[in-house]
Amino acid sequence: MMKKMSIPTSKASLVLFLCQIISALDVPLDSKLLEELSQPPTITQQSPKDYIVDPRENIVIQCEAKGKPPPSFSWTRNGTHFDIDKDAQVTMKPNSGTLVVNIMNGGKAEAYEGVYQCTARNERGAAISNNIVIRPSRSPLWTKEKLEPNHVREGDSLVLHCRPPVGLPPPIIFWMDNAFQRLPQSERVSQGLNGDLYFANVQPEDTREDYICYARFNHTQTIQQKQPISVKVFSMDSLNDTIAANLSDTDIYGAKPVTERPPVLLTPTGSTSTKVELRGNVLLLECIAAGLPTPVIRWIKEGGELPANRTFFENFKKTLKIIDVSEADSGNYKCIARNTLGSVHHVISVTVKAAPYWITAPRNLVLSPGEDGTLICRANGNPKPSISWLANGVPIAIAPEDPSRKVDGDTIIFSHVQERSSAVYQCNASNEYGYLLANAFVNVLAEPPRILTPANKLYQVIADSPALLDCAYFGSPKPEIEWFKGVKGSILRGNEYVFHDNGTLEIPVAQKDSAGTYTCVARNELGKIQNEVQLEIKDPTMIIKQPEYKVIQRYGQVSFECIIKHDSTLLPTVIWLKDNDELPDDERFLVGKDNLTIMNVTDKDDGTYTCIVNTTLDSVSASAVLTVVARPNPPFDLELTGQLERSIELSWIPGDENNSPITNFVIEYEDALHEPGVWHYQTEVSGTQTTAQLKLSPYVNYSFRVIAVNKIGRSQPSEPSEQYLTKSASPDENPANVQGIGSEPDNLVITWEPLKGFQSNGPGLQYKVSWRQKDVDDEWTSVIVANVSKYIVSGTPTFVPYEVKVQALNDLGYAPEPSEVIGHSGEDLPMVAPGNVQVHVINSTLAKVHWDPVPLKTVRGHLQGYKVYYWKVQSLSRRSRRHVEKKILTFRGNKTFGMLPGLEPYSSYKLNVRVVNGKGEGPASPDKVFKTPEGVPSSPSFLKITNPTLDSLTLEWGSPTHPNGVLTSYTLKFQPINNTHELGPLVEIRIPANESSLILKNLNYSTRYKFYFNAQTSVGSGSQITEEAVTIMDEAMASRQVDIATQGWFIGLMCAVALLILILLIVCFIRRNKGGKYPVKEKEDAHADPEIQPMKEDDGTFGEYRLFSFVSSAPF
């Protein structure tokens, strides 16, 4: 059994409010619809509540409103009707409620001071404006006053009063001098909020006669000034001098010196004060103190913190400023002034009140007949504001009754409204600090459905993105909306669609099959209407090749790619950005179809480059970073510190690394004393260091420079450091590479590498050269020479060892004791030849030679080796003599044998052996004769085949160029070759060595033969030579076999062919120049691959007319 439920009275307004949300109509902002629908007036523009006007200009009091039908306007002034037609100075703008008071044509602004209110009215109601208070601005003159000069003792406090005239609005105050320069302000001297100028303590420099206070009235754009104020500060010294000049020596006189004083507050006075400020305004609290030294001001809030982000300190912390104050900012604020002698404080009790402010302002209601609704007006303030209602500008208590209306405090409840219920309601919320006035109409309409979306509107969306199909509608009562797809489709339902309250159909993920015609149907009890829209689905735009991160050296070239794919029906536009801004207007930036190229890249081009592709439906982008690298900038600000005799510290500041980290620093030095302008490598340190401890040498005038290195290269050198001259000292080192080598048999040349300039360690560099014969009990012989690099000792025995040393010295002393080196006096030619020379012949081209070494004493120098001289005397197979060419083989060191390659077979040779030292060769050993055995001969010098007949050929040959022995015979081999180049049976013939020709008979006619021919010695057969030849066909043919090239008919035929080819070439040339077309076959020939075309010039055509041919191949 169901229980009967009732709604408590206290909840009635809430229920009705919910009903209003559900049933109230929203009127679309469609201009055509708004022109057709009736609507009560709405105030759209009005002047401010407190309206201060310039008394020199016309007064314009604005009041604009809209409604259907257009509203008419009326005004009240000071609560009574203002008849505009009776005042010639006042006009109302056409189709507007704005008043214009003509002041510039004789009117006076003061006559129009008052409170004005505008009413806009039509058949559906009346809307009213705020009460607009009109007041003309005022900028009164300063009252005349006589200002006495201010005489102040140094250190005392001082207040210069401004006291500007009371203006409307209040003027802006500032202090300047006669030259219109603002007076400087500080913690000691500052201007207060009231415009007075405060001195915490005066100083002699404060003496001047032109302290002038200025007042600027912004509305009238005028500035007025006070009479100049004179201030004279007396110092204690000048005051004592004045007193002394007026008293006798016996009088006691003397002013007290300037004394320091603890802080005293100049404003505000006392220990406490109060301040009331309105919510939303700016709270300004001020504390200005006197004292010597000048006090410092500090602010705190008792029992809380100063609000963060809204608290500011001005006027050297003398003013505390809190913006947008609220009730939470109420409380006690303490300012503390402090100097070295003490402190003083003042507590300001702040109360934040509030003029009325909206919590819920009433909103317009559009209802259908019989519907319910509510108007809610809720406001807050401190104190809490009272709420009152008006209907069409009349207090609701005395307005015409409406049975559908019920007032419940801040809410008006409407039930079963009718068209006569249309009206404009005003809500007034007020307290002692101000008021709020809001207009809200109730418009009761009965309208059949209307669809505001254009018919057959085309929607295009990207696949897989939402599609929103509009069906903007209006009707009263509110129509119901249904959607269909296709001409005869069923109503759309389900999770794949979203139906919005404003009639829009949303397809969250539109696919290709979502395309088509959609129908929107709107219906209420007064009618029905439908509209069709079209939906097209497009492919998404994609960047298939995105720009990539690039690192490029300065002055290089870089390209970013941006290759896109898009729907063929959409026209994309590509935009390139740099760091989310337009590309620089620079011709170095070249934008292509699919890329961006930057020429001659500079450091400014470093950044992020973005490719943006836009179509009418979508937009995609991709970005890449360009890093421009370069050699680092040179270091700078080189500084030398920690100077010692042998070390110093160098520091520097690195230059810009240009996006490539510095890996190391190279330090170079210049010695201005010995090598000015020449820079030498000193050391290098890692790229993270900016200091280096450098080792120094004596007697060097150092300058240093630093070079930064990164992966790109080396920077320019830094500017040189200051110079640093080290003290002189004796040498630290001796010359290097000391040697003793004789240039003649009776001398010893001692050489060394001289010390470099900075190695001398001081002036007067010399060398002490010492020597003595080794293994002999001799004393050292020494000489001191100038700064040279060698010394020659004469009269020495030939090639004996010496101990040698060279020591450096300068004006301050000797270098450390040098080490000794072993040298030798000069060499002489060896005295004896090698003995017991023996030769062992290994084969016809190779022999081995042996000898006994010579005694080392007879070498008289450094043994370098042995030389073998050998030469061919004659060939044993030929008795003719020829030019003798000697060959030399050198065998290094103390060797006693060697091989002699490349000998000629069957020949007679001679050789001798000599010992070699640094001076040259010794005497030769006696000549040794040896012979090489026979070898195989070379190929015959030639092979000719002549006199071809039907069955015979004649062969002629020459003997081998190098028989390499006694020829014993020749061997001839031959075989036939058929048309397929197959070889027939091989025939071999042995021929005596003294023969030079042979006739071969019983051969086949018209047959090609191949011949192989070589010579033999007792050792074996030599290389062969080959030839080919052909026997003739028959005697008749032989008689006709003449040279066709010499026949007249053949020559004539060839000339005709040549002439025809020339004519064809000329015709083709003429046709090509005229743009004629070639046949397809000619084009194919013209464009064929040259590597596969036959070589027509070398096709062997003329080979057919030769009686026979042969190919000669003789191995070498």
Side-chain angles (χ1 to χ4, degrees):
M1 183 176 183
M2 296 181 63
K3 293 183 179 180
K4 185 176 181 180
M5 299 181 65
S6 62
I7 300 175
T9 305
S10 62
K11 297 183 179 178
S13 61
L14 176 61
V15 173
L16 290 174
F17 176 63
L18 292 174
C19 292
Q20 180 258 334
I21 294 177
I22 295 171
S23 60
L25 292 174
D26 287 330
V27 180
L29 297 177
D30 182 89
S31 57
K32 184 176 179 182
L33 176 64
L34 293 176
E35 289 177 1
E36 297 175 358
L37 296 178
S38 297
Q39 181 178 319
T42 300
I43 301 290
T44 59
Q45 191 172 7
Q46 57 184 314
S47 293
K49 294 178 182 179
D50 190 8
Y51 189 16
I52 300 175
V53 299
D54 189 335
R56 301 168 299 178
E57 297 180 353
N58 291 341
I59 302 173
V60 178
I61 311 174
Q62 290 184 327
C63 179
E64 303 290 342
K66 65 180 181 178
K68 180 67 177 179
S72 61
F73 297 89
S74 62
W75 286 86
T76 63
R77 177 182 174 186
N78 297 327
T80 61
H81 176 67
F82 182 32
D83 192 347
I84 299 169
D85 297 334
K86 294 182 179 180
D87 193 332
Q89 302 296 332
V90 181
T91 58
M92 184 184 295
K93 290 185 178 180
N95 303 317
S96 167
T98 298
L99 297 181
V100 177
V101 182
N102 194 339
I103 301 300
M104 301 177 67
N105 208 15
K108 291 190 176 296
E110 292 79 3
Y112 292 92
E113 285 190 65
V115 180
Y116 293 78
Q117 188 173 43
C118 170
T119 301
R121 185 185 309 273
N122 68 10
E123 62 189 27
R124 291 209 162 227
I128 62 175
S129 70
N130 292 321
N131 287 327
I132 303 171
V133 179
I134 301 296
R135 296 186 295 171
S137 65
R138 297 180 179 87
S139 53
L141 297 176
W142 235 298
T143 57
K144 294 291 185 179
E145 58 181 328
K146 185 177 181 181
L147 301 176
E148 296 295 333
N150 291 274
H151 298 276
V152 192
R153 185 176 61 176
E154 180 183 357
D156 287 353
S157 63
L158 175 66
V159 179
L160 300 183
H161 299 287
C162 181
R163 299 191 183 97
V166 177
L168 184 68
I172 298 172
I173 306 300
F174 52 93
W175 290 80
M176 293 198 298
D177 59 15
N178 277 330
F180 298 101
Q181 299 297 315
R182 283 187 179 270
L183 295 175
Q185 299 191 22
S186 62
E187 289 185 343
R188 186 177 64 85
V189 182
S190 60
Q191 177 182 317
L193 294 176
N194 64 354
D196 293 346
L197 191 62
Y198 292 86
F199 294 78
N201 51 80
V202 295
Q203 302 295 326
E205 60 265 23
D206 296 328
T207 297
R208 61 190 309 152
E209 296 180 352
D210 56 351
Y211 286 93
I212 305 174
C213 180
Y214 287 85
R216 183 173 67 214
F217 299 89
N218 283 342
H219 265 66
T220 58
Q221 299 180 347
T222 58
I223 297 177
Q224 298 189 29
Q225 73 175 59
K226 189 182 179 74
Q227 291 291 327
I229 301 174
S230 174
V231 174
K232 185 170 184 180
V233 179
F234 291 96
S235 66
M236 292 301 99
D237 292 340
S238 61
L239 190 58
N240 286 336
D241 292 342
T242 303
I243 294 173
N246 292 282
L247 296 177
S248 65
D249 293 341
T250 59
D251 292 331
I252 300 174
Y253 67 94
K256 296 181 180 179
V258 177
T259 58
E260 295 183 343
R261 298 188 310 280
V264 175
L265 285 176
L266 299 176
T267 184
T269 59
S271 59
T272 61
S273 60
T274 60
K275 172 80 172 180
V276 176
E277 191 57 77
L278 292 183
R279 179 179 183 270
N281 287 355
V282 176
L283 173 65
L284 294 174
L285 304 178
E286 180 180 58
C287 271
I288 301 178
L292 186 66
T294 301
V296 175
I297 306 295
R298 184 168 67 91
W299 291 89
I300 62 173
K301 182 180 182 183
E302 293 183 343
E305 298 290 334
L306 295 175
N309 302 323
R310 293 189 295 116
T311 301
F312 303 91
F313 297 101
E314 296 180 345
N315 197 18
F316 308 99
K317 292 191 176 181
K318 299 173 186 179
T319 302
L320 172 65
K321 176 180 178 181
I322 301 177
I323 62 175
D324 192 21
V325 295
S326 65
E327 289 84 343
D329 295 320
S330 297
N332 293 331
Y333 292 82
K334 179 188 286 187
C335 71
I336 304 169
R338 185 185 305 276
N339 67 8
T340 56
L341 299 183
S343 65
V344 65
H345 69 268
H346 183 92
V347 176
I348 306 174
S349 179
V350 174
T351 302
V352 177
K353 298 290 186 178
Y357 56 91
W358 290 118
I359 295 177
T360 303
R363 297 178 60 186
N364 296 332
L365 272 180
V366 179
L367 299 174
S368 302
E371 286 188 332
D372 302 335
T374 59
L375 288 179
I376 299 175
C377 177
R378 289 178 182 162
N380 201 359
N382 186 8
K384 187 172 181 63
S386 60
I387 303 293
S388 62
W389 287 95
L390 297 88
N392 296 325
V394 177
I396 202 164
I398 61 175
E401 290 190 6
D402 184 352
S404 66
R405 179 183 68 209
K406 178 182 179 181
V407 178
D408 185 6
D410 59 7
T411 303
I412 301 179
I413 304 169
F414 298 92
S415 304
H416 303 289
V417 296
Q418 301 301 318
E419 285 197 61
R420 64 177 179 275
S421 301
S422 296
V424 182
Y425 292 87
Q426 290 82 33
C427 172
N428 186 303
S430 60
N431 66 11
E432 60 186 280
Y433 297 106
Y435 73 93
L436 292 173
L437 178 69
N439 292 276
F441 63 69
V442 175
N443 196 14
V444 182
L445 297 173
E447 295 286 337
R450 306 185 191 191
I451 294 181
L452 307 179
T453 301
N456 292 313
K457 184 175 181 179
L458 176 63
Y459 292 90
Q460 296 177 327
V461 299
I462 297 297
D464 298 325
S465 61
L468 296 173
L469 308 183
D470 292 335
C471 183
Y473 66 91
F474 178 74
S476 182
K478 183 179 180 181
E480 294 181 357
I481 302 297
E482 293 178 331
W483 280 92
F484 300 85
K485 183 178 181 184
V487 179
K488 297 181 179 180
S490 58
I491 188 170
L492 298 181
R493 292 186 177 89
N495 296 331
E496 55 189 298
Y497 301 102
V498 178
F499 302 94
H500 293 273
D501 291 339
N502 63 357
T504 298
L505 170 66
E506 178 181 353
I507 306 174
V509 182
Q511 305 291 339
K512 283 287 188 180
D513 57 3
S514 302
T517 301
Y518 289 80
T519 303
C520 164
V521 178
R523 60 166 59 89
N524 68 9
E525 59 191 40
L526 300 178
K528 168 187 170 184
I529 193 171
Q530 69 179 39
N531 186 40
E532 291 183 353
V533 295
Q534 308 296 324
L535 175 62
E536 292 182 357
I537 308 299
K538 304 293 185 180
D539 292 327
T541 305
M542 295 183 293
I543 300 177
I544 58 177
K545 177 66 174 177
Q546 297 187 357
E548 298 177 347
Y549 173 71
K550 296 290 180 72
V551 177
I552 190 69
Q553 289 191 31
R554 188 188 295 163
Y555 309 125
Q557 175 180 324
V558 66
S559 291
F560 291 106
E561 288 187 292
C562 186
I563 301 176
I564 63 174
K565 179 182 178 183
H566 61 91
D567 192 286
S568 59
T569 62
L570 299 177
L571 182 62
T573 58
V574 179
I575 301 173
W576 286 91
L577 302 179
K578 178 183 184 294
D579 296 329
N580 295 322
D581 203 352
E582 293 183 358
L583 290 178
D585 185 12
D586 192 329
E587 60 184 10
R588 297 181 301 107
F589 288 77
L590 306 177
V591 178
K593 177 183 177 183
D594 298 321
N595 58 50
L596 167 66
T597 301
I598 308 174
M599 313 287 291
N600 197 22
V601 172
T602 66
D603 293 338
K604 297 186 300 182
D605 302 329
D606 200 276
T608 300
Y609 290 83
T610 303
C611 166
I612 301 177
V613 184
N614 294 317
T615 68
T616 54
L617 299 181
D618 63 349
S619 177
V620 292
S621 65
S623 299
V625 174
L626 173 63
T627 300
V628 181
V629 297
R631 297 184 300 170
N633 292 349
F636 57 94
D637 281 358
L638 274 64
E639 184 178 4
L640 297 176
T641 57
Q643 290 91 339
L644 299 174
E645 289 187 4
R646 293 297 183 99
S647 68
I648 199 169
E649 183 174 86
L650 172 66
S651 61
W652 61 90
I653 299 176
D656 193 336
E657 63 184 18
N658 292 324
N659 292 324
S660 180
I662 296 174
T663 56
N664 58 292
F665 293 98
V666 177
I667 302 171
E668 296 180 339
Y669 72 92
E670 175 198 28
D671 181 4
L673 192 62
H674 302 98
E675 293 180 289
V678 179
W679 290 90
H680 301 275
Y681 174 85
Q682 170 85 13
T683 186
E684 60 184 84
V685 297
S686 77
T688 59
Q689 291 185 229
T690 57
T691 61
Q693 195 71 27
L694 306 178
K695 294 182 179 179
L696 306 180
S697 296
Y699 194 53
V700 177
N701 193 8
Y702 282 101
S703 289
F704 299 97
R705 68 183 187 185
V706 183
I707 300 171
V709 182
N710 63 12
K711 288 184 178 179
I712 310 305
R714 295 162 63 101
S715 72
Q716 292 294 321
S718 67
E719 291 295 321
S721 70
E722 59 180 314
Q723 292 186 341
Y724 179 61
L725 177 62
T726 55
K727 295 181 180 179
S728 301
S730 58
D732 293 327
E733 52 189 312
N734 288 302
N737 198 20
V738 177
Q739 292 182 327
I741 302 174
S743 61
E744 297 295 337
D746 61 349
N747 74 4
L748 172 66
V749 180
I750 302 173
T751 61
W752 60 90
E753 290 183 7
L755 298 181
K756 296 180 180 178
F758 75 92
Q759 294 175 310
S760 65
N761 288 5
L765 177 63
Q766 294 178 302
Y767 300 100
K768 179 182 179 182
V769 184
S770 303
W771 68 92
R772 69 180 178 185
Q773 189 171 336
K774 191 175 182 300
D775 301 328
V776 177
D777 192 14
D778 280 351
E779 295 293 330
W780 287 93
T781 303
S782 300
V783 295
I784 293 179
V785 299
N787 188 11
V788 295
S789 61
K790 72 176 181 178
Y791 179 76
I792 301 175
V793 180
S794 302
T796 62
T798 301
F799 195 67
V800 295
Y802 277 85
E803 294 176 312
V804 177
K805 59 184 180 181
V806 179
Q807 185 178 25
L809 67 149
N810 61 19
D811 292 349
L812 280 80
Y814 285 85
E817 184 66 24
S819 58
E820 303 165 3
V821 298
I822 304 300
H824 288 81
S825 57
E827 300 179 73
D828 206 347
L829 295 176
M831 299 173 61
V832 299
N836 193 24
V837 177
Q838 300 292 329
V839 180
H840 173 60
V841 178
I842 297 175
N843 56 38
S844 60
T845 60
L846 181 65
K848 183 176 184 180
V849 59
H850 293 263
W851 62 86
D852 291 339
V854 299
L856 289 178
K857 288 185 178 182
T858 65
V859 175
R860 298 200 295 180
H862 296 286
L863 175 64
Q864 295 185 355
Y866 293 87
K867 286 186 178 180
V868 177
Y869 287 74
Y870 65 100
W871 62 95
K872 181 180 175 182
V873 178
Q874 65 177 11
S875 173
L876 298 180
S877 60
R878 298 177 182 174
R879 297 301 176 183
S880 61
R881 300 188 61 83
R882 63 174 185 170
H883 173 69
V884 176
E885 180 182 355
K886 289 188 176 182
K887 298 181 179 180
I888 304 172
L889 285 177
T890 301
F891 299 95
R892 299 291 178 185
N894 196 21
K895 293 189 69 173
T896 59
F897 67 91
M899 306 299 289
L900 305 180
L903 303 177
E904 294 185 14
Y906 205 50
S907 300
S908 176
Y909 281 88
K910 287 185 179 180
L911 65 76
N912 59 51
V913 183
R914 311 176 192 196
V915 67
V916 182
N917 66 9
K919 189 71 173 178
E921 301 175 3
S925 65
D927 292 347
K928 187 74 174 180
V929 178
F930 65 97
K931 298 178 180 179
T932 55
E934 288 187 84
V936 296
S938 63
S939 62
S941 57
F942 67 88
L943 174 62
K944 293 194 299 183
I945 304 175
T946 61
N947 301 327
T949 65
L950 286 173
D951 61 352
S952 67
L953 294 169
T954 301
L955 278 68
E956 298 177 355
W957 62 85
S959 60
T961 305
H962 301 286
N964 293 338
V966 179
L967 294 179
T968 58
S969 63
Y970 294 98
T971 299
L972 174 65
K973 299 177 182 179
F974 64 94
Q975 57 190 147
I977 304 174
N978 61 17
N979 291 334
T980 60
H981 299 285
E982 295 178 352
L983 298 175
L986 186 65
V987 179
E988 181 176 336
I989 301 174
R990 180 125 356 221
I991 303 171
N994 57 353
E995 297 291 340
S996 60
S997 63
L998 175 67
I999 299 176
L1000 286 177
K1001 298 182 179 181
N1002 300 321
L1003 302 176
N1004 298 327
Y1005 71 90
S1006 188
T1007 301
R1008 178 175 294 277
Y1009 287 89
K1010 186 168 186 178
F1011 298 91
Y1012 312 91
F1013 192 69
N1014 60 10
Q1016 287 88 28
T1017 64
S1018 60
V1019 176
S1021 299
S1023 302
Q1024 64 184 11
I1025 186 173
T1026 63
E1027 288 288 352
E1028 292 185 11
V1030 182
T1031 57
I1032 65 176
M1033 297 178 62
D1034 55 45
E1035 293 296 340
M1037 182 175 291
S1039 63
R1040 294 196 303 270
Q1041 197 75 20
V1042 295
D1043 190 354
I1044 192 172
T1046 62
Q1047 301 300 305
W1049 63 271
F1050 179 77
I1051 295 173
L1053 177 62
M1054 291 297 103
C1055 291
V1057 171
L1059 180 60
L1060 180 59
I1061 292 173
L1062 179 60
I1063 293 172
L1064 288 174
L1065 289 174
I1066 293 172
V1067 171
C1068 291
F1069 179 75
I1070 293 172
R1071 291 186 64 190
R1072 179 184 293 268
N1073 287 343
K1074 291 183 178 181
K1077 304 297 182 179
Y1078 289 94
V1080 174
K1081 178 59 180 175
E1082 292 178 2
K1083 289 187 178 182
E1084 291 177 352
D1085 291 343
H1087 296 86
D1089 189 340
E1091 294 187 0
I1092 62 174
Q1093 296 188 53
M1095 300 183 66
K1096 298 181 179 180
E1097 298 85 350
D1098 195 20
D1099 57 2
T1101 303
F1102 295 101
E1104 298 177 1
Y1105 297 97
R1106 300 176 66 180
L1107 294 178
F1108 65 92
S1109 65
F1110 60 88
V1111 179
S1112 174
S1113 61
F1116 295 94

